Amino acid sequence: MKWLWREFFKDNPQLKYVSLKATEGVEAACSEGKDIKAESVKQVNRTLLEATAEVITAFQEWEEQKSQHAMFKAMMSYLHRVETILFFVAATRKADLELHLQAGEALSKLFFAMDRIKYKRLWPRYIADMHDLRINHPQTWEEQHAGNISVTKSVIPFVSVGADHACEHLNKLMKIRSGIIGISNNANARQRFFMVTPELSRLSKEFKSQFDMEADRTTEHHELGPSAVKRAHGTIDKIKAAILSHGNPFTTEGEKLYNVITLAYIPDEYVPQILNANVTGQKLYEDYVSERINGDVSLWAPVKKVNNKMFLSGNKKITVKLRDNTVDLKETKDLFARLMVLARSNRDINQKEAIGNYEFTLTPRALFASNGTILPCHDKSKLINLLEKLTREDVPHEDHQLPQAGSTTHQDAMDTGFTDTTSTDQPSRKIALVDGMVLVQRLSKKPATVVTVKDLSGCFNDRLMSLTRDYDEIILVFDTYRTDSLKSATRDKRRQGKAIQYQVRDDTNIKHIPLSRFLSHDQTKADLTDYLAAKILEHNRGSSKLIITSASGNTRSNKDLLFEENNHKEADTLLIHQAVLASHRNPADAQLMFFSPDTDILLLVTANYDLLLKNKSISMACGVVQIEPLWRALGKERAKALPAFHAFTGADNTGRFSRIGKATWLQIYLKADEDIINALQMLLDEAEVAEGMLSTLASFVCAAYSPKGINIKTIPEIRWHLFCKHRAESDKLRVTSSLQL
């Protein structure tokens, strides 16, 4: 509350002066000691009440104005809930029946909003019955109104307890050291014990009172003692310091809600439920009273849950069960069986044409599973070893050398930050191009020194500088995270559990947050890439090396270099873009080294061989891969068509062909004629696919599915061949003409 009033008085400084003046008057009137005059105290008290009324009115208007910000409204709602609970406790402590019912009725909306089923069912009945006492049982009402709603056992104020609490006090009299252990199994003995013990306790208490043995007991509330007050203030200061270390939540503007401690954002779809929980709960409470208390619906009828998402439940993992795999198969077989019946009963139906051109499935089975999901590509990384093997077969045996035992692989380099750059030919300038998110993922096992995001940036910078310590120019690029991109859908499939968005600030504490969970939300990744890109330039502002960072379409450097904005969504293509720029501004004998384990990078660098410096290589998981031997082994045209070949045969966003892996596709690709290579190259440039290109690509697909020794060029023919040769059912005739779309 202190922060809240601080913000209020900051916006209304004139009211702060009025309040201070009124409180100073009360303090002065009460500090006169024995000369205190009752009239003067009453006068300053009236002045304080008048000033308080003015401040409260202004505060309510200020609160309504500030409640347009989601975080402020949520925090105020929380404070009002705590205030209601404190009123309810105070009603019991003071034995105040009216306050008990008012606070109890105010709590009702919380029971309904938060799905407290037992309270939802019985609490409204209790409130109604208590109010009914005033009319139907006035004596009982007066008895409770007089203070007997609670049990008061002392003259000290604010110490009354509820009846259930008082029963526990009585039960305590029955307990001895270590509890009632070893008590007799004899029923009569136990009965005598439970009857005599309270009586003995009463006699003992009366005996002590005769000799005034309890006169030394305290006469003030136990929470008002100096040690208790000091302890409470110390606890409050610790809580306040812990919350303020993450920022003042009352000053946060906007429509976002986040956890005050972890800085994790609440999903946007849950924000209205959290902010309107009180309104929802009140409406449900009123409906319940009208239907079950005042209406005809039974009190014991089922009570439905609202399932409002709160701060804790808003980021819980949600499991969604996919459609049963057998459903599509049954539909397929029924459709296929109907065709067979019609074909036999009606000669006008061309069975060969129907089987060859129509797929009898809800989705093309060559690209989709039976439940309608696209077939994921799991073996694209095999292309790296296949292409490396191709280069080894292309060079003479005596010229081929195995990697030395002490050579450093990409994974070792990323993990340790050390690269083995020993080479016989020293280039005039060495340029390193690093995929930033790969380096971030390598930090999944954070050192113990990484407590905040600022510490993470320092660790990231140290790892980057160690990895590229022998290079003159360092280009660090990050993916661009957009919700409308195809890559976003791929990331959603890879993600396990629900994504949680965190704030990326210097003081964001990530000590106990796994990096995988911290990076589960795309917006957190986007904010972190911008943050790390800025921090790298900040750490290396005075470095002699040229440092270039590119994130979210903005490219900056620690030197006087200007770059245009780019629209690259992936670090793969952005690395090539930056490599082309680096090739233009550096001498011809400079060296390019890419640090990325991604198969896509290898294919893109190979395809753009003639646009880059001649001396280029990629540090991958298997070691350093030289690009020039691969270019020679493939040939210029096949190398240029590699990205289209990769996308066509199976990648992250395009899925894959059923039962055909990358190894098979590469063999077919290396044997493909010039027309197929040209058609694949045209896929990279042409916006529309011509009919001739479709037929050429169809022959490429048929080559993958055709039996050995049989040359079939069209999809209808391959489907009819599979049906006649193997009597394949419709769900196994996976190649269809719809693939050309």
Side-chain angles (χ1 to χ4, degrees):
M1 288 295 289
K2 187 176 181 180
W3 314 320
L4 182 64
W5 285 105
R6 182 182 300 169
E7 294 300 321
F8 170 71
F9 285 129
K10 186 185 295 184
D11 295 340
N12 301 274
Q14 73 283 0
L15 295 178
K16 181 179 181 181
Y17 172 75
V18 173
S19 301
L20 287 175
K21 186 177 180 180
T23 53
E24 288 173 359
V26 174
E27 184 179 0
C30 295
S31 62
E32 296 177 2
K34 297 181 180 180
D35 299 329
I36 293 178
K37 296 180 180 180
E39 188 61 35
S40 62
V41 173
K42 290 181 180 179
Q43 179 62 36
V44 296
N45 191 46
R46 283 194 295 267
T47 304
L48 177 62
L49 291 176
E50 293 174 359
T52 303
E54 182 182 356
V55 171
I56 290 177
T57 302
F59 179 82
Q60 291 174 346
E61 296 176 354
W62 177 79
E63 179 184 349
E64 184 178 356
Q65 178 185 358
K66 287 287 186 178
S67 292
Q68 62 180 337
H69 302 301
M71 203 64 198
F72 181 91
K73 185 176 181 179
M75 295 301 296
M76 287 303 301
S77 178
Y78 174 77
L79 290 179
H80 289 316
R81 292 172 189 174
V82 173
E83 185 181 34
T84 302
I85 295 173
L86 292 177
F87 278 136
F88 187 78
V89 174
T92 303
R93 294 287 184 263
K94 297 192 300 182
D96 190 335
L97 177 60
E98 297 284 358
L99 182 59
H100 174 78
L101 295 178
Q102 291 175 9
E105 195 159 3
L107 285 174
S108 300
K109 60 185 177 185
L110 301 182
F111 298 150
F112 279 84
M114 299 182 181
D115 286 329
R116 299 299 185 262
I117 298 298
K118 292 184 179 180
Y119 285 97
K120 287 171 66 172
R121 185 188 300 278
L122 300 176
W123 191 255
R125 179 76 270 172
Y126 168 75
I127 297 294
D129 290 345
M130 291 296 291
H131 281 295
D132 189 59
L133 291 177
R134 187 197 299 264
I135 300 174
N136 298 327
H137 303 278
Q139 292 181 350
T140 305
W141 171 267
E142 291 298 332
E143 187 72 18
Q144 292 191 343
H145 197 273
N148 289 325
I149 190 175
S150 300
V151 179
T152 306
K153 301 168 61 178
S154 173
V155 295
I156 301 175
F158 210 75
V159 294
S160 299
V161 295
D164 54 341
H165 197 172
C167 289
E168 293 296 332
H169 286 186
L170 293 176
N171 293 338
K172 185 179 180 181
L173 298 176
M174 309 294 296
K175 298 180 180 179
I176 58 177
R177 181 173 297 181
S178 300
I180 305 177
I181 298 176
I183 194 169
S184 173
N185 290 328
N186 187 288
N188 293 330
R190 289 200 307 271
Q191 185 177 8
R192 287 195 298 272
F193 173 80
F194 286 113
M195 292 180 64
V196 170
T197 302
E199 191 64 21
L200 291 176
S201 175
R202 183 185 64 80
L203 293 174
S204 175
K205 187 175 182 180
E206 290 181 357
F207 175 78
K208 291 180 180 179
S209 64
Q210 291 180 2
F211 296 94
D212 202 19
M213 297 178 64
E214 298 182 353
D216 58 341
R217 283 193 172 186
T218 181
T219 57
E220 65 177 5
H221 198 280
H222 62 278
E223 295 291 348
L224 295 179
S227 60
V229 172
K230 182 179 180 180
R231 185 169 58 252
H233 285 183
T235 304
I236 292 172
D237 290 339
K238 290 180 181 179
I239 295 175
K240 183 175 69 174
I243 296 178
L244 284 180
S245 64
H246 300 280
N248 188 345
F250 290 101
T251 60
T252 303
E253 298 181 353
E255 299 178 354
K256 283 278 189 180
L257 283 182
Y258 63 89
N259 187 301
V260 177
I261 301 300
T262 65
L263 302 182
Y265 281 106
I266 302 299
D268 293 340
E269 60 267 27
Y270 300 146
V271 171
Q273 298 181 29
I274 295 174
L275 296 181
N276 299 321
N278 289 344
V279 178
T280 303
Q282 183 64 29
K283 178 66 167 55
L284 292 172
Y285 170 65
E286 293 174 357
D287 293 343
Y288 186 91
V289 171
S290 63
E291 293 175 0
R292 306 203 183 197
I293 306 301
N294 302 327
D296 299 329
V297 181
S298 172
L299 186 70
W300 304 106
V303 179
K304 294 183 179 180
K305 286 188 175 183
V306 184
N307 291 324
N308 272 333
K309 298 296 182 182
M310 296 292 112
F311 273 82
L312 291 178
S313 59
N315 282 322
K316 283 185 178 179
K317 179 179 178 180
I318 298 177
T319 303
V320 179
K321 186 177 181 180
L322 288 177
R323 179 186 175 191
D324 193 338
N325 291 350
T326 62
V327 174
D328 193 33
L329 293 177
K330 290 178 181 178
E331 293 172 350
T332 297
K333 290 180 179 179
D334 289 344
L335 196 60
F336 186 72
R338 291 174 188 174
L339 175 70
M340 294 297 100
V341 172
L342 289 174
R344 291 180 179 180
S345 62
N346 192 341
R347 296 182 179 180
D348 294 335
I349 295 179
N350 189 331
Q351 189 174 354
K352 179 179 180 180
E353 181 183 356
I355 292 176
N357 292 287
Y358 301 102
E359 48 201 73
F360 312 113
T361 56
L362 300 179
T363 52
R365 296 301 301 280
L367 296 176
F368 293 87
S370 59
N371 59 5
T373 57
I374 194 170
L375 296 174
C377 182
H378 297 301
D379 63 342
K380 74 170 189 175
S381 59
K382 292 183 178 179
L383 268 180
I384 300 175
N385 294 328
L386 293 172
L387 292 174
E388 259 200 313
K389 184 179 179 181
L390 184 64
T391 60
R392 291 196 295 267
E393 293 173 352
D394 185 63
V395 299
H397 180 72
E398 60 271 11
D399 293 340
H400 173 65
Q401 296 180 355
L402 294 173
Q404 298 295 324
S407 63
T408 306
T409 66
H410 169 84
Q411 184 169 355
D412 295 334
M414 287 293 192
D415 290 341
T416 63
F418 172 76
T419 51
D420 185 6
T421 57
T422 56
S423 176
T424 55
D425 299 328
Q426 290 297 330
S428 62
R429 188 170 175 81
K430 301 172 72 175
I431 304 107
L433 297 103
V434 183
D435 188 336
M437 281 311 295
V438 173
L439 196 57
V440 170
Q441 297 292 347
R442 295 293 181 185
L443 297 175
S444 57
K445 295 181 179 179
K446 304 189 298 291
T449 55
V450 175
V451 178
T452 64
V453 172
K454 185 177 181 180
D455 299 333
L456 180 66
S457 70
C459 182
F460 178 83
N461 178 74
D462 295 341
R463 188 69 60 89
L464 176 65
M465 292 300 108
S466 178
L467 178 69
T468 59
R469 61 180 182 179
D470 295 324
Y471 291 84
D472 306 298
E473 182 176 330
I474 303 169
I475 303 174
L476 178 68
V477 303
F478 292 97
D479 289 315
T480 300
Y481 296 91
R482 298 177 181 175
T483 57
D484 58 345
S485 65
L486 290 175
K487 189 67 175 179
S488 177
T490 304
R491 297 188 185 105
D492 291 340
K493 294 177 183 177
R494 293 174 179 172
R495 184 183 300 124
Q496 296 181 352
K498 192 168 183 65
I500 303 175
Q501 182 183 352
Y502 291 88
Q503 292 188 31
V504 179
R505 306 188 320 204
D506 284 346
D507 57 350
T508 300
N509 193 312
I510 59 173
K511 182 177 181 180
H512 302 294
I513 302 176
L515 195 63
S516 58
R517 189 172 72 187
F518 183 69
L519 298 177
S520 61
H521 199 285
D522 285 348
Q523 188 57 48
T524 305
K525 290 181 182 178
D527 295 340
L528 183 65
T529 56
D530 292 337
Y531 177 87
L532 291 177
K535 285 294 183 180
I536 290 298
L537 295 180
E538 180 181 330
H539 284 302
N540 300 278
R541 186 179 295 110
S543 175
S544 59
K545 296 183 178 182
L546 174 60
I547 311 294
I548 299 173
T549 63
S550 184
S552 300
N554 299 315
T555 305
R556 293 166 292 179
S557 72
N558 63 342
K559 306 296 182 182
D560 297 331
L561 289 180
L562 298 178
F563 298 89
E564 296 181 355
E565 293 187 2
N566 63 79
N567 59 355
H568 291 269
K569 298 179 181 179
E570 298 238 14
D572 305 344
T573 57
L574 186 54
L575 279 171
I576 304 302
H577 173 71
Q578 291 295 335
V580 172
L581 296 179
S583 300
H584 291 164
R585 64 173 175 265
N586 284 285
D589 62 340
Q591 177 191 5
L592 287 175
M593 174 66 80
F594 295 84
F595 289 90
S596 175
D598 199 341
T599 308
D600 299 347
I601 288 293
L602 175 62
L603 302 182
L604 288 171
V605 174
T606 305
N608 293 277
Y609 176 86
D610 52 353
L611 299 178
L612 306 176
L613 294 171
K614 183 178 180 181
N615 187 358
K616 50 186 168 292
S617 54
I618 304 178
S619 177
M620 310 195 80
C622 59
V624 177
V625 179
Q626 299 293 333
I627 303 301
E628 186 177 2
L630 180 58
W631 169 270
R632 290 200 309 265
L634 288 171
K636 180 178 179 180
E637 299 304 324
R638 277 187 171 79
K640 285 183 175 295
L642 265 182
F645 159 78
H646 181 47
F648 187 82
T649 58
D652 291 336
N653 300 327
T654 59
R656 63 175 173 85
F657 284 88
S658 176
R659 299 183 180 180
I660 306 295
K662 285 291 185 181
T664 303
W665 279 118
L666 185 61
Q667 293 178 5
I668 299 170
Y669 180 69
L670 295 176
K671 298 176 182 178
D673 55 27
E674 186 178 349
D675 292 338
I676 293 177
I677 302 301
N678 292 335
L680 289 172
Q681 288 184 4
M682 291 176 65
L683 287 177
L684 299 173
D685 303 324
E686 299 293 335
E688 296 182 0
V689 181
E691 188 67 29
M693 189 190 305
L694 282 177
S695 60
T696 303
L697 295 176
S699 65
F700 184 50
V701 174
C702 290
Y705 283 95
S706 296
K708 188 175 182 180
I710 298 178
N711 187 15
I712 299 177
K713 295 291 186 179
T714 64
I715 290 178
E717 290 179 359
I718 189 65
R719 280 177 61 85
W720 179 249
H721 173 81
L722 292 174
F723 175 76
C724 295
K725 183 72 175 178
H726 305 287
R727 293 298 176 184
E729 296 183 2
S730 60
D731 60 299
K732 295 181 180 179
L733 298 177
R734 298 179 179 273
V735 189
T736 59
S737 56
S738 63
L739 295 178
Q740 302 179 47
L741 301 177

